[in-house]
Amino acid sequence: MPVALSILDLAPIAPGRSARDSLAASVELARAAERSGYRRVWYAEHHNMPTIASSATSIVIGHVAEHTDTIRLGAGGIMLPNHSPLVIAEQFGTLETLFPGRIDLGLGRAPGTDRPTMRAIRRDQTSADSFPQDVLELQGYLRGESRVAGVQAVPRAEGEVPLYLLGSSLFGAQLAARLGLPYAFASHFAPDALHEAVAAYREEFEPSEQLAEPYVIAGVNVFAAEDRDEAEAQRRISYRNRARAFISRGQGGREYTDDEIEEFLASPGGHQLSAMTKYTAVGAPEAVREYLEGFAAAAGADELITAHHAEQVADRVRSVELTAKAMAGNATP
């Protein structure tokens, strides 16, 4: 059975562009994904990051849903310890009510930001400790089976809002297995524990009302273009921008030249940053297909959630289209 294909859209704010431009690009990307047969598009909750526009994740999902017709949309993910389970149940119950049969809810326990921003969010240092209980509380609200006496989430959608657990360690894998939920591994930026976590998840999985058998989604970066040289050029620009954003934080927003960025990338710190994107498909469609099929088989993934990082929107959309054609067995542009 062919591996399912989806997209993680980080709603990047490119140099010289605005957040409004970024959100317009997210609509364009989702429309391309819908045309190309992708299963879903997810948006991630990040805070205090000048290059990412998806901090108000549920609003972004609603905006994109309003401008698309059939593709599933969701959070990949909501960082649940930043919120009360009731508020998230209300938000996603509202989304499912407005866009029935199209809404997913992926949940993580990381802060999605740095320590000062955690304090600004009013997140307690121990918030993540109650993550398993918070997932169950949220699930109860969404099903109309509240675990809190006298409290219900309104509106509650008639249809199901499926939950997915996100992670990059054994903790998330084991929790997803115990609760019988699909598991999405963040291998697009935290690759180290991928195989160990997936093995633990599959071995320990317990069937649930939502899911009878284990289901694994693995993240992977993609730069697909007409030829390898173009794809490599897009990758270099994207990762240079990523490194620039990384080292600029805490430096008063100082601008770094390309030569300074290349010097950083050649340093141990740069190598560590590069290692985070270990799983990346780069090249023409056929090469991307071979990489993704091999990655899916090695990871034991039922679905790949692809992150397309080209700086220019047109290149990102083209990467989405070429990847879909290639994975469908038609690598001809």
Side-chain angles (χ1 to χ4, degrees):
M1 182 177 177
V3 65
L5 205 58
S6 296
I7 290 175
L8 175 65
D9 180 6
L10 295 176
I13 304 174
R17 301 297 179 89
S18 68
R20 185 179 183 87
D21 294 332
S22 170
L23 296 173
S26 289
V27 169
E28 188 173 347
L29 198 74
R31 286 174 170 168
E34 189 170 77
R35 292 192 306 268
S36 301
Y38 286 77
R39 179 165 294 184
R40 67 186 96 245
V41 181
W42 279 358
Y43 307 90
E45 177 187 346
H46 293 283
H47 300 282
N48 194 31
M49 294 188 180
T51 58
I52 295 178
S54 55
S55 56
T57 313
S58 60
I59 297 176
V60 175
I61 293 168
H63 175 67
V64 177
E66 192 68 50
H67 291 85
T68 50
D69 297 314
T70 58
I71 194 165
R72 296 193 67 88
L73 301 164
I78 290 292
M79 300 297 105
L80 190 54
N82 292 348
H83 314 273
S84 78
L86 176 62
V87 169
I88 297 303
E90 291 169 342
Q91 290 177 5
F92 280 79
T94 300
L95 285 169
E96 175 64 23
T97 298
L98 292 171
F99 308 103
R102 298 182 58 199
I103 302 300
D104 299 331
L105 177 48
L107 301 169
R109 67 184 182 118
T113 190
D114 53 27
R115 288 188 179 276
T117 310
M118 283 176 61
R119 292 192 290 271
I121 291 171
R122 303 297 191 267
R123 172 171 167 151
D124 187 89
Q125 294 283 359
T126 62
S127 297
D129 295 344
S130 62
F131 181 65
Q133 294 75 28
D134 288 347
V135 172
L136 291 173
E137 183 180 335
L138 171 59
Q139 188 176 58
Y141 291 135
L142 291 171
R143 290 179 173 174
E145 302 167 356
S146 177
R147 291 169 171 255
V148 181
V151 178
Q152 59 182 321
V154 181
R156 185 176 73 83
E158 294 181 5
E160 179 186 17
V161 179
L163 297 185
Y164 298 76
L165 287 194
L166 281 56
S168 58
S169 68
L170 286 180
F171 177 89
Q174 292 168 332
L175 180 61
R178 188 168 79 246
L179 299 182
L181 294 175
Y183 179 55
F185 192 92
S187 36
H188 62 293
F189 78 93
D192 291 349
L194 170 63
H195 300 288
E196 185 181 8
V198 170
Y201 169 70
R202 290 194 177 279
E203 181 179 344
E204 300 175 24
F205 181 83
E206 300 176 18
S208 67
E209 181 179 335
Q210 179 177 328
L211 192 65
E213 298 179 348
Y215 191 85
V216 173
I217 301 174
V220 59
N221 305 293
V222 178
F223 295 89
E226 310 294 345
D227 60 67
R228 181 170 183 83
D229 288 345
E230 176 59 26
E232 282 285 3
Q234 293 174 13
R235 183 192 65 79
R236 283 195 301 272
I237 292 170
S238 173
Y239 287 174
R240 191 182 293 155
N241 288 340
R242 183 168 175 265
R244 181 175 282 110
F246 177 79
I247 63 176
S248 292
R249 296 187 72 186
Q251 301 297 321
R254 177 169 98 75
E255 289 295 323
Y256 288 83
T257 66
D258 287 349
D259 287 344
E260 288 175 317
I261 294 300
E262 292 298 336
E263 184 178 348
F264 167 75
L265 288 172
S267 71
H271 291 158
Q272 184 177 3
L273 189 65
S274 296
M276 294 169 64
T277 54
K278 172 182 177 180
Y279 295 122
T280 300
V282 184
E286 182 62 22
V288 167
R289 180 187 65 79
E290 290 179 3
Y291 184 95
L292 293 181
E293 288 180 346
F295 171 73
D302 302 289
E303 181 176 337
L304 297 181
I305 191 152
T306 58
H308 299 258
H309 295 294
E311 179 183 72
Q312 299 300 317
V313 177
D315 292 335
R316 207 150 65 239
V317 168
R318 189 60 174 148
S319 181
V320 164
E321 294 170 341
L322 290 173
T323 300
K325 288 180 181 179
M327 293 297 283
N330 177 13
T332 303

